[in-house]
Amino acid sequence: MAWRMPAETAPHERTWMAFPREGLTLGDTDAQRTAGYETWTAVARAVAEFEPVTMLVDPTETARARRLLGDHATLLETPVDEFWMRDHGPTFVVDDERPGVLGAVDWIFNGWGAPDWAQWRLSAAHARTVAAHLGAELVSSVLVNEGGGIHVDGEGTVLLTDTVQLDPRRNPFADRSRVEAEMARTLGTTTAIWLPRGLTRDYDDMGTNGHVDIVATFATPGRVLLHAQQDAGHPDHAVMPEIRAALAEATDAAGRRLEIVDLPAPAALRDEEGFVDWSYVNHLVVNGGVIACGFGDPVADDRARGILADVYPGRRVVTVDARELFARGGGIHCITQQQPVTAVAP
């Protein structure tokens, strides 16, 4: 077996999501809960314009999911506690030597380092649930990892973060070589580019400790989109040069130096909880489109749409207001997971 994770820009069979359920992440008030349901639904409806959506739904939320989603998603009932599908769900891989075979990597999920507040034990089973539903081959991993902690170019390169895969709350005995060997086995990568850290807000109690999918992503092999905080009043203004330097010094699996394309942050610096981590990097590429994060900033949102349209030519960019997602610790990429099309044997 030679598993390989295709680039997000490769054709998709569908997108997977998990529907919210009541609890800490969704919010304490009716207004917060309503906003959460509406935002997850808005993302699903936007994705469904381009490709099918399958939504994992806790039985307690099935009626609400049917009412809000209508025919925009296929529902699959299963126990749910957390609903950041990118992280607790499977990472899909293909085997180029066996056309038509789909693999589902089952990382160990412990709620981003087993913090006291996290409710994750039900959703930790989702990779196995989805693999069984699809008839995919389960690729079991001993690594504690989340899908938001990796980005691949589909040609052998993976972006990682020291503070995620080497987090002692996740993998206390891991080192870079062990992580890279596991990425090679499960994702087919041969070159790892390690970023030193993530964005400042991501180190709060309800953060992920530095997920890469809010910082940098491959637009194409050899070309990276990078979050840019241009306001010196935000702590990420000092963080980003260190991350940029790591990318500028790296070479990918093909031996190329990376072209770096900036995605400037919106103008807002703070919300009620502190400095924001609002990032346009946390978009989802879909068949024929891009689902982009919006932040109620017409100038910055429009600028981001233009950059995304330029680096993903031929795709229609659709913006969905992501502020309610970021208030809960993530963005559009974090709540979605693409299932690639598997090649059919001739």
Side-chain angles (χ1 to χ4, degrees):
M1 290 178 292
W3 297 116
R4 178 180 63 87
M5 182 180 179
E8 194 170 307
T9 51
H12 299 177
E13 183 72 30
R14 67 184 56 250
T15 287
W16 288 81
M17 297 179 65
F19 195 75
R21 64 163 297 174
E22 293 194 11
L24 178 65
T25 299
L26 193 57
D28 297 328
T29 68
D30 287 341
Q32 289 172 335
R33 288 188 286 269
T34 296
Y37 288 125
E38 289 178 347
T39 303
W40 258 258
T41 298
V43 172
R45 286 173 173 262
V47 174
E49 293 184 24
F50 298 92
E51 64 192 55
V53 176
T54 298
M55 184 81 69
L56 301 186
V57 181
D58 190 86
T60 63
E61 294 287 358
T62 300
R64 190 193 318 268
R66 285 178 177 153
R67 184 175 72 252
L68 292 177
L69 291 166
D71 60 0
H72 290 87
T74 300
L75 305 187
L76 177 60
E77 279 195 346
T78 192
V80 172
D81 41 23
E82 279 296 350
F83 33 93
W84 304 93
M85 191 65 183
R86 176 75 49 175
D87 291 350
H88 51 72
T91 294
F92 291 107
V93 291
V94 298
D95 186 342
D96 295 326
E97 298 175 357
R98 296 184 296 160
V101 174
L102 180 69
V105 180
D106 180 18
W107 311 109
I108 296 175
F109 179 67
N110 72 349
W112 311 278
D116 291 341
W117 58 264
Q119 299 174 333
W120 49 269
R121 288 170 176 80
L122 297 177
S123 294
H126 285 169
R128 296 184 293 280
T129 299
V130 172
H133 177 76
L134 291 173
E137 292 192 18
L138 193 68
V139 184
S140 295
S141 176
V142 297
L143 190 72
V144 179
N145 186 47
E146 305 91 36
I150 57 174
H151 256 311
V152 301
D153 66 357
E155 296 185 0
T157 313
V158 61
L159 299 177
L160 304 170
T161 315
D162 283 327
T163 57
V164 174
Q165 286 80 24
L166 304 183
D167 181 356
R169 303 170 305 162
R170 287 174 166 101
N171 300 297
F173 305 110
D175 56 24
R176 283 187 173 187
S177 63
R178 290 181 181 180
V179 172
E180 290 176 16
E182 184 65 351
M183 295 295 162
R185 184 185 73 86
T186 56
L187 305 181
T189 55
T190 58
T191 299
I193 298 174
W194 289 87
L195 304 185
R197 56 161 297 144
L199 302 186
T200 302
R201 176 74 167 261
D202 210 12
Y203 294 88
D204 286 357
D205 287 344
M206 293 186 71
T208 71
N209 220 47
H211 269 190
V212 73
D213 73 349
I214 201 172
V215 179
T217 184
F218 289 105
T220 56
R223 196 179 201 191
V224 173
L225 286 165
L226 181 65
H227 178 69
Q229 178 50 255
Q230 299 173 325
D231 193 317
H234 194 295
D236 287 335
H237 181 76
V239 167
M240 292 312 301
E242 183 182 6
I243 296 173
R244 172 181 280 276
L247 289 168
E249 294 167 5
T251 54
D252 67 10
R256 293 171 293 217
R257 291 285 185 181
L258 301 174
E259 176 191 356
I260 300 172
V261 178
D262 284 336
L263 260 179
L269 300 183
R270 304 179 67 97
D271 63 9
E272 294 177 356
E273 301 297 325
F275 287 105
V276 297
D277 54 356
W278 294 354
S279 170
Y280 296 106
V281 170
N282 200 262
H283 56 273
L284 176 71
V285 180
V286 291
N287 293 335
V290 179
I291 311 303
C293 295
F295 300 103
D297 181 333
V299 172
D301 288 356
D302 186 62
R303 178 178 58 200
R305 275 192 298 272
I307 294 170
L308 293 172
D310 180 64
V311 300
Y312 298 116
R315 299 180 191 262
R316 179 163 60 93
V317 182
V318 175
T319 298
V320 178
D321 194 319
R323 285 174 289 182
E324 290 294 338
L325 299 177
F326 278 81
R328 291 164 175 79
I332 289 173
H333 197 256
C334 306
I335 68 170
T336 54
Q337 178 63 272
Q338 71 276 1
Q339 177 189 335
V341 170
T342 53
V344 177

